[in-house]
């Protein structure tokens, strides 16, 4: 399992897997409700729309797909990347989709029509993740070229680059108020950046291997990271202190997220 998402009301869980499928689960009972099949390669990420009626997946088959969650039918196949698609997310109003690809680009799509409206070019390596700000005003990307970039969502122009990082950047996420960015890096570090200045505010170290993802808690006080060292860790965003280490997975932890007062984690058994 390569990624996990939770619906806004907490009742559903969505997973993306190496077995070329995504699955929707009942969070209360753990029962599988739907299996989304249609990709011809591993599904790297899966996300709910804000109302949870739609699902957006990204795959190594070089496509992303928008699905009707209730029928498990493909609504649109987003085709145009020339490499694996590592991540795909909706905008907060679900009118747009954003994809990040091995081909070095991120693409913005009209989620109501399934057409590409803009392509963000400027990275010189694979783009590992991309995310909209809450107002859709800007986009943050992470790349294996060792940088993250902030882009104007309307024009597609690069506004600033966040560097130096620590080798490849595997993930970038925004705080709930869009004021800060957290990045997960190849050199085992986590970095916090100001989104307006592009300046690094803090570097956090403690993982024993590559950091695969890092996200803020809703109040921005905590950071949750996932690593190839088979752990997920909770850190103080203010001090950088490791507050909890979660162990027990038999493989690298590909992704972790906060769910109200708990943490959800997903394990990737082989890199």
């Amino acid at each position: 399992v390569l990624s996990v998402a939770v619906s806004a009301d907490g009742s559903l869980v969505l997973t993306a897997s190496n077995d070329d499928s995504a699955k929707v689960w009942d969070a209360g009972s753990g029962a599988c409700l739907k299996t989304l099949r249609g990709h011809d390669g591993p599904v790297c990420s899966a996300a709910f729309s804000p109302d949870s009626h739609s699902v957006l997946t990204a795959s190594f088959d070089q496509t992303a797909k928008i699905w009707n969650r209730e029928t498990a039918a493909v609504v649109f196949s987003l085709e145009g990347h020339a490499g694996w698609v590592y991540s795909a997310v909706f905008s907060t109003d679900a009118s747009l989709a954003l994809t990040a690809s091995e081909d070095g680009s991120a693409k913005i799509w009209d989620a109501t029509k399934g057409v590409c409206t803009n392509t963000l070019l400027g990275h010189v390596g694979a783009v590992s993740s991309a995310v909209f700000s809450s107002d859709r005003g800007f986009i943050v990307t992470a790349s294996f070229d060792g940088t993250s970039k902030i882009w104007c969502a309307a024009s597609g122009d690069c506004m600033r680059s966040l560097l130096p990082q620590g080798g490849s950047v595997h993930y970038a996420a925004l705080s709930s108020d869009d004021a800060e960015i957290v990045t997960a890096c190849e050199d085992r570090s986590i970095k916090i950046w100001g989104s307006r200045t592009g300046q690094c505010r803090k570097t956090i170290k403690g993982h024993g291997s590559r950091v695969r993802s890092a996200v803020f808690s809703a109040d921005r006080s905590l950071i949750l990271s996932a690593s190839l060292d088979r752990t997920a860790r909770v850190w103080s965003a203010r001090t950088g202190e490791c507050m909890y280490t979660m162990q027990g997975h038999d493989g690298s932890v590909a992704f972790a997220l906060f769910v109200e007062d708990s943490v959800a984690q997903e394990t990737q058994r082989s890199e």
Side-chain angles (χ1 to χ4, degrees), residues 35-52:
T35 299
L36 310 182
R37 297 193 184 278
H39 281 293
D40 293 323
V43 182
C44 317
S45 77
F48 284 113
S49 61
D51 63 8
S52 301

Side-chain angles (χ1 to χ4, degrees), residues 232-260:
R233 300 185 186 215
V234 177
W235 312 80
S236 166
R238 183 177 62 84
T239 67
E241 176 188 2
C242 181
M243 303 175 67
Y244 310 103
T245 298
M246 287 159 278
Q247 302 181 60
H249 285 292
D250 295 326
S252 62
V253 185
F255 188 74
L257 76 160
F258 289 103
V259 184
E260 297 181 354

Side-chain angles (χ1 to χ4, degrees), residues 58-150:
S59 172
F60 284 5
D61 69 5
Q62 303 187 7
T63 73
K65 295 183 186 294
I66 298 174
W67 310 73
N68 180 303
R69 176 185 61 80
E70 295 181 353
T71 66
V74 175
V75 179
F76 297 113
S77 185
L78 310 183
E79 301 178 7
H81 280 295
W84 295 347
V85 184
Y86 287 122
S87 78
V89 296
F90 285 108
S91 59
T92 51
D93 63 358
S95 66
L96 299 174
L98 177 63
T99 53
S101 173
E102 180 192 29
D103 67 10
S105 75
K107 289 181 180 287
I108 303 170
W109 307 79
D110 184 326
T112 67
K113 299 177 181 178
V115 297
C116 180
T117 61
N118 210 341
T119 299
L120 310 183
L121 297 172
H123 283 293
V124 293
V127 182
S128 52
S129 76
V131 63
F132 285 108
S133 62
S134 57
D135 64 358
R136 299 189 320 177
F138 65 93
I139 287 166
V140 179
T141 55
S143 173
F144 293 171
D145 68 7
T147 72
S148 290
K149 294 182 184 293
I150 302 173

Side-chain angles (χ1 to χ4, degrees), residues 169-180:
V169 186
H170 294 278
Y171 199 81
L174 280 158
S175 58
S176 58
D177 61 1
D178 296 330
E180 291 186 317

Side-chain angles (χ1 to χ4, degrees), residues 199-214:
Q199 298 299 306
C200 183
R201 296 179 176 177
K202 187 174 293 295
T203 297
I204 299 171
K205 292 191 174 182
H207 275 295
S209 188
R210 176 191 312 168
V211 185
R212 290 289 305 272
S213 71

Side-chain angles (χ1 to χ4, degrees), residues 146-201:
T147 72
S148 290
K149 294 182 184 293
I150 302 173
W151 311 76
C152 174
S155 67
D157 294 334
C158 181
M159 300 162 63
R160 59 185 62 91
S161 294
L162 311 183
L163 51 91
Q165 296 274 355
S168 297
V169 186
H170 294 278
Y171 199 81
L174 280 158
S175 58
S176 58
D177 61 1
D178 296 330
E180 291 186 317
I181 298 163
V182 61
T183 56
C185 302
E186 179 78 19
D187 71 350
R188 311 178 185 182
S189 73
I190 300 155
K191 294 182 183 292
I192 302 173
W193 309 78
S195 63
R196 287 188 173 86
T197 65
Q199 298 299 306
C200 183
R201 296 179 176 177

